Amino acid sequence: MGTTSVGASIGASLWQTETVPHAAIERADQALYRSKANGKHQITLDETLIA
């Protein structure tokens, strides 16, 4: 039997009720791609959460 390895990259953002939901999804998606670009297996927060 062979071995299997599973990894994960996560991008996160917050949704505030006064904004449209898809904006938070787009920001989380951008954060996810930054995680992948930085070597995968990371959690990256939307830049608006850091400031």
Side-chain angles (χ1 to χ4, degrees):
M1 284 206 173
T3 59
T4 301
S5 177
V6 177
S9 297
I10 299 173
S13 73
L14 294 178
W15 172 63
Q16 297 178 357
T17 55
E18 64 271 2
T19 62
V20 291
H22 72 269
I25 294 169
E26 288 175 9
R27 290 192 309 269
D29 194 45
Q30 292 169 356
L32 171 62
Y33 283 105
R34 283 195 305 278
S35 282
K36 291 180 177 184
N38 290 328
K40 300 182 181 181
H41 310 293
Q42 297 184 31
I43 298 172
T44 302
L45 302 177
D46 172 45
E47 292 173 348
T48 61
L49 295 175
I50 299 169

